[in-house]
Amino acid sequence: MTHIIILFFALIGLNGCSGDHSAADNSKVPISKAEQRKKEFGTLMGDDFLLFGGNKKTNKSSTGSLAPSVNPYIWRASLDAISFVPLLSADAVGGVIITDWYSAAKAPTERLKMTIYILDQQLRADAVKVIVFKQIKTKDGHWVAANVESNVATEMENIILAKARQLRISSKESQ
């Protein structure tokens, strides 16, 4: 029994030796890449509750809320360009828009689905990427994947960029 008591007090004593090592005298102590990333990006259930990425120092505005990591004009233009298609998912922080399948009235045996990635905060030609999926209905009623013409995604990207430029110009004129 005395061994257990001695062990208990020894553990309490050792626990007291481990203090906060973030003082200036320990600033030269190297930290692992994982610790550096944790300091820089935070944790999944950290101070911001759910933080899925982005630098904590640059991703926060002065009010403490998450700042947009995508260009707002491209985001708005993307939503406007696909407003006729039902949305499946839209993530403004990550810059991903996923539509549901859409069939035009003129072509009921074909359907399209799009995924739009907004890749940058700048309004540039390479800041948006569109991927288009196409399916065709077979005679037995099943949907099968089909090839999409290579220019369809590029045309959609150009439509989005043109709308984004218009939104930017109109916002500059209103100021």
Side-chain angles (χ1 to χ4, degrees):
M1 181 69 172
T2 53
H3 294 333
I4 294 174
I5 294 173
I6 293 171
L7 182 61
F8 176 76
F9 283 111
L11 287 175
I12 290 176
L14 286 175
N15 190 29
C17 292
S18 66
D20 184 16
H21 297 292
S22 62
D25 61 335
N26 290 326
S27 62
K28 295 180 183 178
V29 175
I31 60 173
S32 69
K33 286 185 180 183
E35 285 295 318
Q36 178 65 30
R37 189 164 199 276
K38 185 177 175 182
K39 280 176 84 174
E40 187 175 333
F41 290 98
T43 60
L44 182 62
M45 300 297 278
D47 298 336
D48 300 324
F49 184 62
L50 287 176
L51 181 64
F52 288 100
N55 189 315
K56 286 189 340 184
K57 296 171 191 156
T58 60
N59 210 20
K60 285 190 168 193
S61 67
S62 60
T63 60
S65 63
L66 287 176
S69 60
V70 297
N71 184 287
Y73 302 115
I74 297 175
W75 177 259
R76 182 75 245 161
S78 298
L79 291 174
D80 288 349
I82 61 167
S83 61
F84 63 96
V85 182
L87 287 180
L88 196 59
S89 174
D91 177 12
V93 175
V96 179
I97 301 170
I98 303 171
T99 69
D100 203 355
W101 289 104
Y102 171 76
S103 291
K106 294 180 181 178
T109 59
E110 291 182 1
R111 65 183 186 176
L112 298 175
K113 181 177 186 172
M114 288 181 273
T115 302
I116 301 172
Y117 297 100
I118 302 170
L119 305 170
D120 201 342
Q121 291 181 352
Q122 301 297 317
L123 180 52
R124 305 177 346 173
D126 62 348
V128 64
K129 172 123 176 93
V130 176
I131 300 174
V132 180
F133 304 94
K134 180 178 178 182
Q135 289 184 340
I136 297 176
K137 196 173 202 177
T138 61
K139 292 180 182 180
D140 60 355
H142 293 95
W143 291 99
V144 294
N147 290 331
V148 180
E149 295 80 20
S150 61
N151 64 338
V152 173
T154 305
E155 286 179 19
M156 181 56 77
E157 290 170 2
N158 291 336
I159 290 168
I160 291 169
L161 290 169
K163 285 182 177 282
R165 283 187 215 103
Q166 290 172 349
L167 289 170
R168 183 173 182 226
I169 290 169
S170 65
S171 74
K172 296 287 183 187
E173 290 174 352
S174 66
Q175 291 179 352

